[in-house]
Amino acid sequence: MSQRLKIEAYLKKGGKLTPYSALRLFGCLRLSERIREINADLYHPPYYKMVLKGWKRINKRTRVMEYYL
């Protein structure tokens, strides 16, 4: 089963993915590209939002994209 199909099935089950969680779960380094491929195939494209995670060295929070259906 390809990464795209695994990610699509995970999102359809109600999961939420960030680039780090996609790397951990599916070994996918380019989540945005897999989302673009899924977007081209689905009638209802995945939603996304910017979430704040952790802290950097200069007191700024790290922003990452989170995708869900």
Side-chain angles (χ1 to χ4, degrees):
M1 192 175 211
S2 70
Q3 285 179 345
R4 187 188 69 78
L5 294 175
K6 289 178 186 176
I7 290 171
E8 186 176 342
Y10 184 79
L11 291 175
K12 283 183 178 178
K13 285 193 296 185
K16 294 182 178 184
L17 280 178
T18 63
Y20 180 71
S21 63
L23 177 62
R24 235 185 30 227
L25 295 172
F26 307 111
C28 176
L29 290 172
R30 287 288 310 265
L31 178 61
S32 61
E33 184 63 24
R34 301 292 87 78
I35 294 295
R36 188 188 64 76
E37 292 171 358
I38 292 169
N39 203 7
D41 291 343
L42 290 178
Y43 173 73
H44 177 34
Y47 296 111
Y48 61 90
K49 66 179 177 180
M50 185 73 70
V51 293
L52 298 174
K53 299 268 185 182
W55 291 91
K56 288 187 176 181
R57 297 175 92 184
I58 54 174
N59 294 331
K60 290 186 180 180
R61 296 193 74 177
T62 304
R63 288 182 253 168
V64 296
M65 297 300 284
E66 182 178 69
Y67 298 94
Y68 57 96
L69 281 179

